[in-house]
Coordinates of all heavy atoms in Angstrom, one line a residue:
M1 N 0.8 -1.2 0.0 CA 0.0 0.0 0.0 C 0.9 1.2 0.0 O 1.9 1.3 0.6 CB -0.9 0.0 1.2 CG -2.2 -0.8 1.1 SD -3.3 -0.4 2.4 CE -2.7 -1.5 3.6
I2 N 0.4 2.3 -0.6 CA 1.0 3.6 -0.7 C 0.3 4.5 0.3 O -0.8 5.0 -0.1 CB 1.1 4.1 -2.1 CG1 1.8 3.1 -3.0 CG2 1.8 5.4 -2.1 CD1 1.7 3.4 -4.5
W3 N 0.8 4.8 1.4 CA 0.1 5.5 2.4 C -0.2 7.0 2.0 O -1.3 7.5 2.3 CB 0.9 5.5 3.8 CG 0.8 4.2 4.4 CD1 1.8 3.2 4.4 CD2 -0.3 3.6 5.1 NE1 1.4 2.1 5.1 CE2 0.1 2.3 5.5 CE3 -1.5 4.1 5.4 CZ2 -0.8 1.5 6.2 CZ3 -2.4 3.3 6.1 CH2 -2.0 2.0 6.5
P4 N 0.7 7.7 1.4 CA 0.3 9.1 1.0 C -0.9 9.1 0.0 O -1.8 10.0 0.2 CB 1.5 9.6 0.3 CG 2.6 8.8 0.8 CD 2.1 7.5 1.1
I5 N -1.0 8.2 -0.9 CA -2.1 8.2 -1.8 C -3.4 7.8 -1.1 O -4.5 8.4 -1.3 CB -1.9 7.2 -3.0 CG1 -0.7 7.7 -3.8 CG2 -3.1 7.0 -3.8 CD1 -0.3 6.8 -4.9
D6 N -3.3 6.9 -0.1 CA -4.5 6.5 0.7 C -5.0 7.7 1.5 O -6.2 7.9 1.5 CB -4.1 5.4 1.6 CG -3.9 4.0 1.0 OD1 -4.4 3.9 -0.2 OD2 -3.3 3.1 1.6
L7 N -4.1 8.4 2.1 CA -4.5 9.6 2.9 C -5.1 10.7 2.0 O -6.0 11.4 2.5 CB -3.3 10.1 3.7 CG -2.8 9.2 4.8 CD1 -1.6 9.7 5.5 CD2 -3.9 9.0 5.8
I8 N -4.5 10.9 0.8 CA -5.1 12.0 0.0 C -6.5 11.6 -0.5 O -7.4 12.4 -0.4 CB -4.1 12.2 -1.3 CG1 -2.8 12.8 -0.8 CG2 -4.8 13.0 -2.3 CD1 -1.8 12.9 -1.9
I9 N -6.7 10.4 -0.9 CA -8.0 9.9 -1.3 C -9.0 9.9 -0.2 O -10.1 10.4 -0.3 CB -7.9 8.5 -2.0 CG1 -7.1 8.6 -3.3 CG2 -9.3 8.0 -2.3 CD1 -6.9 7.2 -3.9
L10 N -8.5 9.5 1.0 CA -9.4 9.6 2.2 C -9.8 11.0 2.6 O -11.0 11.2 2.9 CB -8.7 8.9 3.4 CG -9.5 8.8 4.7 CD1 -10.8 7.9 4.4 CD2 -8.7 8.2 5.8
G11 N -8.9 11.9 2.4 CA -9.2 13.3 2.7 C -10.2 13.8 1.7 O -11.1 14.6 2.1
L12 N -10.1 13.5 0.4 CA -11.0 13.9 -0.6 C -12.4 13.3 -0.4 O -13.4 13.9 -0.6 CB -10.5 13.5 -2.0 CG -9.3 14.4 -2.5 CD1 -8.8 13.8 -3.8 CD2 -9.7 15.8 -2.6
V13 N -12.4 12.0 0.1 CA -13.7 11.4 0.5 C -14.4 12.1 1.6 O -15.6 12.4 1.5 CB -13.5 9.9 0.9 CG1 -14.7 9.3 1.6 CG2 -13.1 9.0 -0.3
I14 N -13.7 12.5 2.6 CA -14.3 13.3 3.7 C -14.8 14.6 3.2 O -15.9 15.0 3.6 CB -13.3 13.4 4.9 CG1 -13.0 12.0 5.5 CG2 -13.8 14.3 5.9 CD1 -11.9 11.9 6.5
V15 N -14.0 15.3 2.4 CA -14.4 16.6 1.9 C -15.7 16.5 1.1 O -16.6 17.3 1.2 CB -13.2 17.3 1.1 CG1 -13.7 18.5 0.3 CG2 -12.1 17.7 2.1
S16 N -15.7 15.5 0.2 CA -16.9 15.4 -0.7 C -18.1 15.0 0.1 O -19.2 15.4 -0.2 CB -16.6 14.4 -1.8 OG -16.5 13.1 -1.3
A17 N -18.0 14.2 1.2 CA -19.1 13.8 2.0 C -19.6 15.0 2.8 O -20.9 15.2 2.8 CB -18.7 12.7 3.0
V18 N -18.8 15.8 3.4 CA -19.2 17.0 4.1 C -19.8 18.0 3.1 O -20.9 18.6 3.4 CB -18.0 17.6 4.9 CG1 -18.4 19.0 5.4 CG2 -17.6 16.7 6.0
A19 N -19.3 18.1 1.9 CA -19.8 19.1 1.0 C -21.2 18.6 0.5 O -22.1 19.4 0.3 CB -18.9 19.2 -0.2
A20 N -21.4 17.3 0.3 CA -22.7 16.8 -0.1 C -23.8 17.0 1.0 O -24.9 17.2 0.7 CB -22.6 15.3 -0.4
I21 N -23.4 16.9 2.2 CA -24.3 17.2 3.3 C -24.7 18.6 3.5 O -25.8 19.0 3.7 CB -23.7 16.6 4.6 CG1 -23.7 15.1 4.6 CG2 -24.6 17.0 5.8 CD1 -22.9 14.5 5.7
T22 N -23.7 19.5 3.3 CA -23.9 20.9 3.6 C -24.5 21.7 2.4 O -25.0 22.8 2.6 CB -22.6 21.6 4.0 OG1 -21.6 21.4 3.0 CG2 -22.2 21.0 5.3
V23 N -24.4 21.2 1.2 CA -24.9 22.0 0.0 C -26.4 22.1 0.0 O -27.1 21.2 0.5 CB -24.3 21.4 -1.3 CG1 -25.0 20.1 -1.7 CG2 -24.4 22.3 -2.4
K24 N -26.9 23.2 -0.5 CA -28.4 23.4 -0.5 C -29.1 22.9 -1.7 O -30.3 22.6 -1.7 CB -28.7 24.9 -0.3 CG -28.2 25.5 1.0 CD -29.0 25.0 2.1 CE -28.5 25.7 3.4 NZ -29.1 25.2 4.6
D25 N -28.4 22.9 -2.8 CA -29.0 22.5 -4.1 C -29.0 21.0 -4.3 O -28.0 20.3 -4.0 CB -28.2 23.1 -5.3 CG -28.8 22.9 -6.6 OD1 -30.1 22.8 -6.7 OD2 -28.1 22.8 -7.6
L26 N -30.1 20.4 -4.7 CA -30.3 19.0 -4.8 C -29.4 18.4 -5.9 O -28.9 17.3 -5.8 CB -31.7 18.6 -5.0 CG -32.7 18.8 -3.8 CD1 -34.1 18.4 -4.2 CD2 -32.2 17.9 -2.7
L27 N -29.3 19.1 -7.0 CA -28.5 18.6 -8.1 C -27.0 18.5 -7.7 O -26.3 17.6 -8.0 CB -28.7 19.5 -9.3 CG -28.0 19.0 -10.6 CD1 -28.4 17.6 -11.0 CD2 -28.2 20.0 -11.7
S28 N -26.6 19.5 -7.0 CA -25.2 19.6 -6.5 C -24.9 18.4 -5.5 O -23.9 17.8 -5.5 CB -24.9 20.9 -5.9 OG -25.0 21.9 -6.8
A29 N -25.9 18.2 -4.7 CA -25.8 17.1 -3.7 C -25.7 15.7 -4.4 O -24.9 14.9 -4.0 CB -26.9 17.1 -2.7
A30 N -26.5 15.5 -5.5 CA -26.5 14.3 -6.2 C -25.1 14.1 -6.9 O -24.5 13.0 -6.9 CB -27.6 14.2 -7.2
V31 N -24.6 15.1 -7.5 CA -23.3 15.1 -8.2 C -22.2 14.8 -7.1 O -21.3 14.0 -7.4 CB -23.0 16.3 -9.0 CG1 -21.6 16.4 -9.5 CG2 -24.0 16.4 -10.1
L32 N -22.2 15.5 -6.0 CA -21.2 15.3 -5.0 C -21.3 13.9 -4.4 O -20.2 13.3 -4.1 CB -21.4 16.3 -3.9 CG -20.8 17.7 -4.2 CD1 -21.3 18.7 -3.2 CD2 -19.3 17.6 -4.3
L33 N -22.5 13.3 -4.3 CA -22.6 11.9 -3.8 C -22.0 10.9 -4.9 O -21.4 9.9 -4.5 CB -24.0 11.5 -3.5 CG -24.5 12.1 -2.2 CD1 -26.0 11.8 -2.0 CD2 -23.7 11.6 -1.0
G34 N -22.1 11.3 -6.1 CA -21.5 10.5 -7.2 C -20.0 10.6 -7.1 O -19.3 9.6 -7.3
A35 N -19.5 11.8 -6.8 CA -18.0 11.9 -6.6 C -17.5 11.2 -5.4 O -16.5 10.6 -5.4 CB -17.7 13.4 -6.5
Y36 N -18.3 11.2 -4.4 CA -18.0 10.4 -3.1 C -17.9 8.9 -3.4 O -17.0 8.3 -3.0 CB -19.1 10.7 -2.1 CG -19.0 9.8 -0.9 CD1 -18.2 10.1 0.1 CD2 -19.9 8.7 -0.7 CE1 -18.1 9.3 1.3 CE2 -19.8 7.9 0.4 CZ -18.9 8.2 1.4 OH -18.9 7.4 2.5
S37 N -18.9 8.4 -4.2 CA -18.8 7.0 -4.6 C -17.6 6.7 -5.4 O -17.0 5.6 -5.3 CB -20.1 6.6 -5.3 OG -21.2 6.7 -4.4
F38 N -17.3 7.6 -6.4 CA -16.1 7.4 -7.2 C -14.8 7.4 -6.4 O -13.9 6.6 -6.7 CB -16.1 8.4 -8.3 CG -14.9 8.2 -9.2 CD1 -14.9 7.2 -10.1 CD2 -13.9 9.1 -9.2 CE1 -13.8 7.0 -11.0 CE2 -12.8 9.0 -10.0 CZ -12.7 7.9 -10.9
L39 N -14.7 8.3 -5.5 CA -13.5 8.3 -4.6 C -13.4 7.1 -3.8 O -12.3 6.6 -3.5 CB -13.5 9.6 -3.8 CG -13.3 10.9 -4.6 CD1 -13.6 12.1 -3.7 CD2 -11.8 10.9 -5.1
L40 N -14.6 6.6 -3.3 CA -14.5 5.4 -2.5 C -14.1 4.2 -3.4 O -13.4 3.3 -3.0 CB -15.9 5.1 -1.9 CG -16.2 5.7 -0.6 CD1 -17.5 5.3 -0.1 CD2 -15.1 5.3 0.4
C41 N -14.5 4.2 -4.7 CA -14.1 3.2 -5.6 C -12.6 3.3 -5.8 O -11.9 2.2 -5.8 CB -14.8 3.5 -7.0 SG -14.1 2.6 -8.4
L42 N -12.0 4.5 -5.9 CA -10.6 4.6 -6.0 C -9.9 4.1 -4.8 O -8.8 3.4 -4.8 CB -10.2 6.0 -6.3 CG -10.4 6.6 -7.6 CD1 -10.0 8.1 -7.6 CD2 -9.7 5.9 -8.7
L43 N -10.4 4.4 -3.6 CA -9.8 3.9 -2.4 C -9.8 2.4 -2.3 O -8.9 1.8 -1.9 CB -10.6 4.5 -1.2 CG -10.0 4.4 0.2 CD1 -8.6 5.0 0.2 CD2 -10.9 5.0 1.2
W44 N -11.0 1.8 -2.6 CA -11.0 0.3 -2.6 C -10.0 -0.3 -3.6 O -9.4 -1.3 -3.3 CB -12.4 -0.2 -3.0 CG -13.5 0.1 -1.9 CD1 -14.6 0.8 -2.1 CD2 -13.5 -0.3 -0.6 NE1 -15.3 0.8 -0.9 CE2 -14.6 0.1 0.0 CE3 -12.6 -1.1 0.2 CZ2 -14.9 -0.1 1.4 CZ3 -12.9 -1.3 1.6 CH2 -14.1 -0.8 2.1
A45 N -9.9 0.3 -4.8 CA -8.9 -0.2 -5.8 C -7.5 -0.1 -5.3 O -6.7 -1.0 -5.5 CB -9.1 0.5 -7.1
V46 N -7.1 1.0 -4.6 CA -5.8 1.2 -4.1 C -5.5 0.2 -3.0 O -4.4 -0.3 -2.9 CB -5.6 2.6 -3.6 CG1 -4.3 2.8 -2.8 CG2 -5.6 3.6 -4.8
M47 N -6.5 -0.1 -2.2 CA -6.4 -1.1 -1.1 C -6.3 -2.5 -1.6 O -6.0 -3.4 -0.8 CB -7.5 -0.9 -0.1 CG -7.4 0.4 0.6 SD -8.8 0.8 1.7 CE -8.7 -0.4 2.9
G48 N -6.6 -2.7 -2.9 CA -6.5 -4.1 -3.4 C -7.8 -4.9 -3.5 O -7.8 -6.0 -3.9
A49 N -8.9 -4.3 -3.1 CA -10.2 -4.9 -3.2 C -10.9 -4.5 -4.6 O -11.8 -3.7 -4.6 CB -11.1 -4.5 -2.1
V50 N -10.4 -5.2 -5.6 CA -10.8 -4.8 -7.0 C -12.3 -5.1 -7.2 O -13.0 -4.3 -7.9 CB -9.9 -5.5 -8.0 CG1 -10.4 -5.1 -9.4 CG2 -8.5 -5.1 -7.8
D51 N -12.8 -6.2 -6.7 CA -14.2 -6.6 -6.9 C -15.1 -5.6 -6.2 O -16.2 -5.2 -6.7 CB -14.5 -8.0 -6.4 CG -14.0 -8.3 -5.0 OD1 -13.2 -7.5 -4.4 OD2 -14.5 -9.3 -4.4
V52 N -14.8 -5.2 -5.0 CA -15.6 -4.2 -4.3 C -15.5 -2.8 -5.0 O -16.5 -2.1 -5.1 CB -15.1 -4.0 -2.8 CG1 -15.9 -3.0 -2.1 CG2 -15.2 -5.4 -2.1
A53 N -14.4 -2.5 -5.5 CA -14.2 -1.2 -6.3 C -15.0 -1.2 -7.5 O -15.7 -0.2 -7.9 CB -12.7 -1.0 -6.6
F54 N -15.1 -2.4 -8.2 CA -15.9 -2.5 -9.5 C -17.4 -2.3 -9.1 O -18.1 -1.6 -9.8 CB -15.6 -3.8 -10.2 CG -16.4 -4.0 -11.4 CD1 -16.1 -3.2 -12.6 CD2 -17.5 -4.8 -11.5 CE1 -16.8 -3.4 -13.7 CE2 -18.2 -5.0 -12.6 CZ -17.9 -4.3 -13.7
T55 N -17.8 -3.0 -8.1 CA -19.2 -2.9 -7.7 C -19.6 -1.5 -7.2 O -20.6 -0.9 -7.6 CB -19.5 -3.9 -6.5 OG1 -19.1 -5.2 -6.9 CG2 -20.9 -3.8 -6.1
E56 N -18.7 -0.8 -6.5 CA -18.9 0.6 -6.1 C -19.0 1.5 -7.3 O -19.8 2.4 -7.4 CB -17.8 1.0 -5.1 CG -18.0 2.4 -4.6 CD -19.2 2.6 -3.6 OE1 -19.5 1.6 -2.9 OE2 -19.8 3.6 -3.6
A57 N -18.1 1.2 -8.3 CA -18.1 2.1 -9.5 C -19.4 1.9 -10.3 O -20.0 2.9 -10.7 CB -16.9 1.8 -10.4
T58 N -19.9 0.7 -10.5 CA -21.1 0.5 -11.3 C -22.3 0.9 -10.6 O -23.2 1.6 -11.1 CB -21.2 -0.9 -11.7 OG1 -21.2 -1.8 -10.6 CG2 -20.0 -1.3 -12.7
V59 N -22.5 0.5 -9.3 CA -23.7 0.8 -8.6 C -23.7 2.2 -8.0 O -24.6 3.0 -8.1 CB -24.0 -0.3 -7.6 CG1 -25.2 0.0 -6.7 CG2 -24.1 -1.7 -8.2
G60 N -22.6 2.4 -7.2 CA -22.6 3.7 -6.4 C -22.4 4.9 -7.3 O -23.1 5.9 -7.2
A61 N -21.3 4.9 -8.1 CA -21.0 6.1 -8.9 C -21.8 6.1 -10.2 O -22.0 7.2 -10.7 CB -19.5 6.1 -9.2
G62 N -22.2 5.0 -10.7 CA -22.9 5.0 -12.0 C -24.4 5.1 -11.9 O -25.0 6.1 -12.1
V63 N -25.0 4.0 -11.5 CA -26.5 3.9 -11.5 C -27.1 4.8 -10.5 O -28.1 5.5 -10.9 CB -26.9 2.4 -11.3 CG1 -28.4 2.2 -11.3 CG2 -26.3 1.5 -12.4
S64 N -26.6 4.8 -9.3 CA -27.3 5.7 -8.3 C -27.2 7.1 -8.6 O -28.2 7.9 -8.4 CB -26.6 5.4 -6.9 OG -26.8 4.1 -6.5
T65 N -26.1 7.6 -9.2 CA -26.0 9.0 -9.5 C -26.9 9.3 -10.7 O -27.6 10.4 -10.6 CB -24.5 9.3 -9.9 OG1 -23.7 9.0 -8.9 CG2 -24.4 10.8 -10.3
V66 N -27.0 8.5 -11.6 CA -28.0 8.7 -12.8 C -29.4 8.8 -12.3 O -30.2 9.7 -12.7 CB -27.8 7.6 -13.9 CG1 -28.9 7.7 -14.9 CG2 -26.4 7.8 -14.5
F67 N -29.8 7.9 -11.4 CA -31.1 7.9 -10.9 C -31.4 9.1 -10.0 O -32.5 9.7 -10.1 CB -31.4 6.6 -10.0 CG -31.6 5.4 -10.8 CD1 -31.5 4.1 -10.3 CD2 -32.0 5.4 -12.2 CE1 -31.7 3.0 -11.1 CE2 -32.3 4.3 -12.9 CZ -32.1 3.1 -12.4
C68 N -30.5 9.5 -9.2 CA -30.7 10.7 -8.4 C -30.8 12.0 -9.2 O -31.6 12.8 -9.0 CB -29.5 10.9 -7.4 SG -29.6 9.7 -6.0
V69 N -29.9 12.1 -10.2 CA -30.0 13.3 -11.1 C -31.3 13.3 -11.9 O -32.0 14.3 -12.1 CB -28.8 13.3 -12.1 CG1 -29.0 14.4 -13.1 CG2 -27.5 13.6 -11.2
A70 N -31.8 12.1 -12.4 CA -33.0 12.0 -13.1 C -34.2 12.4 -12.1 O -35.1 13.0 -12.6 CB -33.2 10.6 -13.6
A71 N -34.1 11.9 -10.9 CA -35.2 12.3 -9.9 C -35.2 13.8 -9.7 O -36.3 14.4 -9.5 CB -35.0 11.5 -8.6
V72 N -34.1 14.4 -9.6 CA -34.0 15.9 -9.4 C -34.6 16.6 -10.5 O -35.3 17.6 -10.4 CB -32.6 16.3 -9.1 CG1 -32.4 17.8 -9.1 CG2 -32.1 15.8 -7.7
F73 N -34.3 16.1 -11.8 CA -34.9 16.8 -12.9 C -36.4 16.6 -13.1 O -37.0 17.4 -13.8 CB -34.2 16.3 -14.2 CG -32.8 17.0 -14.4 CD1 -31.7 16.3 -14.7 CD2 -32.7 18.4 -14.4 CE1 -30.5 16.9 -14.9 CE2 -31.5 19.0 -14.6 CZ -30.4 18.3 -14.8
H74 N -36.9 15.6 -12.5 CA -38.4 15.3 -12.6 C -39.2 16.0 -11.4 O -40.4 15.8 -11.3 CB -38.7 13.8 -12.6 CG -38.4 13.3 -14.0 ND1 -37.2 12.7 -14.3 CD2 -39.2 13.1 -15.0 CE1 -37.2 12.3 -15.5 NE2 -38.4 12.5 -16.0
T75 N -38.5 16.7 -10.6 CA -39.2 17.4 -9.5 C -39.4 18.9 -9.8 O -38.7 19.4 -10.7 CB -38.4 17.3 -8.1 OG1 -37.1 17.9 -8.3 CG2 -38.3 15.9 -7.7
T76 N -40.4 19.5 -9.2 CA -40.6 20.9 -9.4 C -40.6 21.6 -8.0 O -40.8 21.0 -7.0 CB -42.0 21.1 -10.0 OG1 -43.0 20.6 -9.2 CG2 -42.0 20.5 -11.4
R77 N -40.3 22.9 -8.0 CA -40.3 23.7 -6.8 C -41.7 24.1 -6.5 O -42.5 24.5 -7.4 CB -39.4 24.8 -6.9 CG -38.0 24.5 -6.9 CD -37.2 25.7 -6.9 NE -35.8 25.4 -6.7 CZ -34.9 26.0 -5.9 NH1 -35.4 27.1 -5.2 NH2 -33.7 25.7 -5.8
R78 N -42.1 24.2 -5.2 CA -43.4 24.7 -4.8 C -43.3 26.2 -4.6 O -44.3 26.9 -4.9 CB -43.8 24.0 -3.5 CG -44.2 22.6 -3.7 CD -44.7 22.1 -2.4 NE -44.9 20.6 -2.5 CZ -45.3 19.9 -1.5 NH1 -45.5 20.4 -0.3 NH2 -45.5 18.6 -1.7
T79 N -42.2 26.7 -4.1 CA -42.1 28.1 -3.9 C -40.9 28.6 -4.8 O -40.0 27.9 -5.2 CB -41.8 28.4 -2.5 OG1 -40.6 27.8 -2.1 CG2 -42.9 28.0 -1.6
K80 N -40.9 29.9 -5.0 CA -39.8 30.5 -5.7 C -38.9 31.4 -4.8 O -38.7 32.5 -5.0 CB -40.4 31.5 -6.8 CG -41.4 30.8 -7.7 CD -40.7 30.2 -8.9 CE -41.7 29.7 -9.8 NZ -41.2 28.9 -10.9
D81 N -38.2 30.7 -3.9 CA -37.3 31.5 -3.0 C -35.9 31.4 -3.4 O -35.3 31.3 -4.1 CB -37.4 31.0 -1.5 CG -37.7 29.6 -1.3 OD1 -37.2 28.7 -2.1 OD2 -38.3 29.4 -0.3

């Protein structure tokens, strides 16, 4: 394992998770959650769990992000604030 790369990716995972929680826009939150899943995929791959990384990439970063973005585009706002 390469510890500096692990720590950099882990720091980016934490930053993207906090950003996804604190952002107000739903589309931005969906995209940040997709980035979070992709960074976790990278972390699993660096750690040697390639099967888990592949599953995270297809389901977490791929399908879930597409479904969340599609759900955001199919919603409407009730108020104009």
Side-chain angles (χ1 to χ4, degrees):
M1 276 192 274
I2 303 170
W3 288 101
I5 294 175
D6 289 343
L7 290 176
I8 289 170
I9 294 174
L10 183 61
L12 290 173
V13 166
I14 293 170
V15 167
S16 66
V18 170
I21 291 172
T22 58
V23 73
K24 299 287 184 187
D25 186 32
L26 289 178
L27 183 61
S28 299
V31 170
L32 283 169
L33 285 175
Y36 170 81
S37 293
F38 180 72
L39 289 169
L40 275 180
C41 165
L42 288 177
L43 190 61
W44 291 122
V46 168
M47 292 172 67
V50 181
D51 54 342
V52 178
F54 180 72
T55 304
E56 182 70 31
T58 56
V59 175
V63 176
S64 296
T65 304
V66 170
F67 284 158
C68 286
V69 169
V72 168
F73 279 131
H74 282 91
T75 58
T76 58
R77 288 185 175 224
R78 291 186 186 177
T79 62
K80 303 274 184 186
D81 31 37

